[in-house]
Amino acid sequence: MIQNKLEWPLFEKKMIAYRDSVNAELIPAFLGDNELDVTKEAAIYSLTVGGKRLRPILMLSIGEMFALNRDTVLPFALAIEMIHTYSLIHDDLPCMDNDDMRRGNPTCHVKFGEAIALLAGDALLNRAYEYLLYSSLTLGKESIRAASFLAEMAGSNGMIAGQTLDMESEGHEITPETLERLHRKKTGCLLEAAVRIPYLLTKPQASQNVIDRILTKYARHIGLAFQMKDDILDVTSSLSVLGKSIGKDQKSMKSTYVTLYGLDRAKILLENEMQGAFSALEEMDQTGLDTSFLYNLTQYLLQRSN
Ligand code: GRG
């Protein structure tokens, strides 16, 4: 059993503090000294219309768990949110999922047109690495290694491979194995980067990689759980709560955990993944790390309504 759990109000207070600090630093990091133009305006629109900031919060809180200096983790927390936002802008484009609503607001291409939305995504992706590479000049070798890992997780064998499978799977039923592979890549890889990068930044010795193994286990379970929850919300929630169109997957004949297994079984699969995540946290707890915030965050993922 995990020893330390936070009282829920304290957890919420910490979540708000993390989210506020990300929100305060995200736009300055994206814009730098550059002048605004319509592409940057479109990118800033998508960065500021909402978003739970889950990936930066994972990074900052895990960084704290390892007693890392916040300035070491922050560039990664900001860069991963830029990459995540680029992926959502491109995912919503007419040539991909063709969505009108995201984060409770019109999607980037609805607001700014398709060409500018495409460029806004490109701008976010490039700025994320520009910002990281520049930060690495002072942060050193480990941060270059961590940036390379982020690129791998977001790249053509990671998130983009997942999106490719997603595009290919439209219009026909896929096997449960393909569905799992798709989501391990599309949703899971970026979450895995968020969970493992703070540890990579601690300059771990090869002999300590038991921690990395536990973090990987934790990340992979929350990755699948996150997607299962997303699929469940797609049929049980509403546009006003979720902030994006619902029932889209079924309309575009995409296989989801709900279409393949049914709602009740999808809920059981979600519960199993969450148990896997909690068991990884218990292993982490036994190494002497303070997993209390992560414990509550994992519960929050299970309970989230958007
Ligand atoms: C276009 C290369 C490319 C990739 C797109 C992430 C992705 C790949 C598509 C998003 C499709 C989707 C809705 C996946 C479900 C899980 C997910 C990533 C949801 C959005 O993440 P949240 O809930 O979003 O963290 P907020 O808005 O809170 O940041």
Side-chain angles (χ1 to χ4, degrees):
M1 276 294 284
I2 290 180
Q3 299 304 316
N4 301 313
K5 298 166 198 172
L6 301 177
E7 295 295 326
W8 204 253
L10 177 60
F11 166 71
E12 284 185 330
K13 210 170 134 197
K14 284 186 160 235
M15 282 291 275
I16 291 169
Y18 280 129
R19 202 169 281 151
D20 286 351
S21 74
V22 171
N23 289 343
E25 300 187 71
L26 193 53
I27 306 310
F30 170 69
L31 201 53
D33 295 331
N34 302 304
E35 275 176 26
L36 267 182
D37 62 13
V38 66
T39 294
K40 295 189 202 83
E41 262 177 49
I44 290 172
Y45 168 77
S46 289
L47 284 174
T48 48
V49 287
K52 295 181 286 298
R53 311 303 192 211
L54 191 63
R55 294 148 193 83
I57 291 174
L58 275 166
M59 279 189 163
L60 293 171
S61 60
I62 295 175
E64 267 181 37
M65 186 173 82
F66 290 119
L68 270 176
N69 186 333
R70 186 175 182 276
D71 292 346
T72 308
V73 192
L74 187 65
F76 287 89
L78 301 175
I80 203 167
E81 189 63 17
M82 291 183 215
I83 294 171
H84 169 60
T85 304
Y86 122 76
S87 81
L88 298 181
I89 294 175
H90 281 193
D91 184 62
D92 290 334
L93 285 172
C95 62
M96 297 229 192
D97 271 5
N98 194 16
D99 263 308
D100 291 345
M101 294 293 284
R102 168 72 66 185
R103 293 175 165 175
N105 286 280
T107 46
C108 195
H109 68 271
V110 166
K111 187 101 178 153
F112 291 89
E114 202 176 335
I116 294 299
L118 184 75
L119 290 170
D122 294 341
L124 283 161
L125 178 61
N126 279 281
R127 178 61 183 164
Y129 292 114
E130 181 193 349
Y131 187 69
L132 273 185
L133 288 170
Y134 192 77
S135 305
S136 295
L137 288 174
T138 44
L139 294 176
K141 207 169 76 207
E142 275 69 31
S143 74
I144 297 173
R145 188 168 149 234
S148 153
F149 179 62
L150 178 58
E152 186 189 330
M153 291 287 109
S156 57
N157 283 316
M159 181 174 71
I160 291 176
Q163 184 74 349
T164 306
L165 282 171
D166 194 41
M167 292 293 115
E168 282 181 333
S169 74
E170 216 164 295
H172 59 92
E173 192 167 296
I174 55 174
T175 63
E177 292 74 27
T178 306
L179 185 73
E180 183 173 323
R181 188 173 148 70
L182 188 166
H183 292 309
R184 281 196 185 285
K185 299 266 177 187
K186 188 178 96 164
T187 308
C189 279
L190 218 52
L191 287 168
E192 186 171 328
V195 168
R196 291 175 64 193
I197 281 175
Y199 184 62
L200 291 181
L201 293 170
T202 65
K203 312 183 191 170
Q205 308 295 312
S207 61
Q208 292 173 311
N209 64 15
V210 61
I211 303 276
D212 190 49
R213 187 190 56 72
I214 301 171
L215 285 171
T216 306
K217 175 178 163 185
Y218 171 73
R220 292 187 181 170
H221 282 297
I222 61 164
L224 277 190
F226 194 75
Q227 184 62 49
M228 288 166 179
K229 183 77 187 179
D230 212 69
D231 288 352
I232 291 169
L233 288 173
D234 189 59
V235 294
T236 57
S237 190
S238 63
L239 170 64
S240 60
V241 176
L242 207 51
K244 61 177 185 177
S245 328
I246 58 152
K248 268 295 289 200
D249 294 330
Q250 274 157 325
K251 271 184 229 142
S252 58
M253 289 185 57
K254 269 193 186 170
S255 302
T256 71
Y257 282 97
V258 176
T259 63
L260 281 197
Y261 294 96
L263 185 57
D264 290 343
R265 180 103 184 102
K267 285 181 180 169
I268 294 170
L269 291 173
L270 167 63
E271 193 56 48
N272 291 345
E273 291 305 323
M274 296 307 289
Q275 287 316 319
F278 285 124
S279 128
L281 284 183
E282 277 181 34
E283 286 179 53
M284 239 186 284
D285 208 47
Q286 280 157 19
T287 69
L289 288 163
D290 177 2
T291 57
S292 52
F293 183 82
L294 272 188
Y295 181 87
N296 289 63
L297 188 59
T298 311
Q299 277 187 323
Y300 163 86
L301 289 181
L302 185 66
Q303 289 162 10
R304 76 188 169 100
S305 56
N306 70 355

